[in-house]
Amino acid sequence: MSKVTVFMPVYNARSYLQEAIRSILNQTYKDFELLIIDNCSTDDSVSIVESYNDTRIHLVVNNENIGLAGSRNKALEICDSGYIAFLDADDIAMPDRIRTQVQYMDEHKDIAAVGSYSATIDGYGNGKDMFRPQLLNSNYIRAYMVFNNAIANSSAMVRKSVLDNNNIRYADNCYGVEDYKFWCEVIKYGDIANMGEILLKYRVTPGSITAEANSYRLNERKRVIKEIQKNNIDFYGFKFPDEELNVLLDVFEED
């Protein structure tokens, strides 16, 4: 059993998959396994993964497409490491990412998960002059999370025990805000932190969920976000008349 499982979901990811895999295999920290779950890709993603002769790679190919949330939950059931780190198949981890986050988690037992700053890149790997800072103070993160996500999923490392002890998994049918809902559950049982250094290159391409979404999906996405926000407000014990609550939810819409 490795101390860390890095989980990478894959679906038709051939364009950037090799870069993502190399960024993990070349980590300065070595005690990890790379769990890759392919969700019925129709391109040569599986062949790309199989071309690596590295015992740290564990490839699972789904028999049917179970969606992103389904693949992530399957990974959470499979892995038995103390820490789980996430990386999407089009993003790039900086060389010291795993080592830096493991050291932080080892030293901060009260932290359930940790993310980091990220730098955005385009489809060619070039910088987009967009720096993505995150809140660093755990109390600020907790407050901010009531209405917005404060952790970049591809930069995150979480304690497996927090997930298992509290039955936390990814929800389906969230129209691209599965991460926000997931981290809102995690923060109920422990603090979330961010590291003030760039440990991730986050790829932004025209094929993002919001770029391709039709009006129905966008409306459903807004509905799910409002449901998450309402649940957060209830969890922390705030009470508002319906009129005031609706104003708050309108003010804190996505974007």
Side-chain angles (χ1 to χ4, degrees):
M1 181 179 70
S2 300
K3 185 168 185 176
V4 180
T5 294
V6 181
F7 168 58
M8 184 183 298
V10 169
Y11 177 72
N12 291 348
R14 68 180 309 273
S15 297
Y16 311 115
L17 184 55
Q18 288 180 305
E19 283 185 282
I21 292 175
R22 283 199 301 266
S23 76
I24 297 301
L25 298 183
N26 293 333
Q27 289 288 303
T28 57
Y29 185 87
K30 303 301 181 184
D31 185 16
F32 68 85
E33 71 161 346
L34 174 56
L35 172 60
I36 298 175
I37 296 185
D38 181 87
N39 197 28
C40 299
S41 292
T42 57
D43 64 4
D44 58 346
S45 292
V46 171
S47 297
I48 290 173
V49 177
E50 291 176 337
S51 69
Y52 288 89
N53 184 23
D54 194 308
T55 57
R56 293 173 295 179
I57 296 177
H58 180 194
L59 172 63
V60 176
V61 180
N62 292 338
N63 293 323
E64 60 180 348
N65 191 312
I66 59 176
L68 179 57
S71 287
R72 286 177 172 175
N73 290 336
K74 188 173 184 176
L76 298 183
E77 297 299 330
I78 290 174
C79 71
D80 56 2
S81 302
Y83 300 140
I84 303 173
F86 301 96
L87 186 73
D88 288 343
D90 57 351
D91 295 333
I92 298 173
M94 303 303 284
D96 283 337
R97 177 200 163 175
I98 304 301
R99 180 189 60 79
T100 302
Q101 290 185 318
V102 166
Q103 181 177 346
Y104 184 89
M105 296 288 275
D106 284 348
E107 294 174 354
H108 297 82
K109 303 299 185 182
D110 57 324
I111 297 296
V114 62
S116 75
Y117 285 3
S118 60
T120 59
I121 56 175
D122 62 18
Y124 302 98
N126 300 318
K128 293 178 64 67
D129 298 323
M130 290 174 60
F131 170 58
R132 290 178 175 247
Q134 301 285 356
L135 292 170
L136 303 181
N137 183 297
S138 292
N139 291 325
Y140 292 172
I141 291 173
R142 184 176 294 276
Y144 187 86
M145 287 283 288
V146 173
F147 293 108
N148 297 280
N149 192 8
I151 187 166
N153 199 74
S154 258
S155 77
M157 177 179 287
V158 64
R159 294 185 193 277
K160 181 66 158 43
S161 60
V162 172
L163 305 183
D164 289 347
N165 293 343
N166 301 290
N167 195 30
I168 299 173
R169 294 296 185 264
Y170 284 90
D172 205 357
N173 298 319
C174 286
Y175 297 91
V177 291
E178 296 87 355
D179 297 348
Y180 179 34
K181 185 175 179 66
F182 178 81
W183 295 117
C184 284
E185 291 301 308
V186 171
I187 205 170
K188 291 178 181 179
Y189 303 99
D191 285 334
I192 290 177
N194 279 311
M195 307 195 73
E197 54 187 294
I198 297 174
L199 299 179
L200 172 72
K201 290 185 178 180
Y202 173 76
R203 198 179 302 272
V204 178
T205 62
S208 65
I209 291 172
T210 52
E212 294 183 343
N214 56 34
S215 59
Y216 170 78
R217 286 182 59 83
L218 287 175
N219 287 334
E220 287 299 293
R221 182 182 175 93
K222 290 180 180 180
R223 178 186 60 79
V224 173
I225 291 173
K226 286 187 175 183
E227 287 180 356
I228 297 170
Q229 292 169 335
K230 286 180 181 179
N231 289 335
N232 292 338
I233 290 170
D234 289 342
F235 175 78
Y236 289 110
F238 295 106
K239 304 297 181 183
F240 297 101
D242 289 344
E243 184 178 0
E244 291 184 3
L245 179 60
N246 290 332
V247 170
L248 274 175
L249 297 181
D250 286 342
V251 168
F252 287 99
E253 269 196 349
E254 189 176 23
D255 302 325

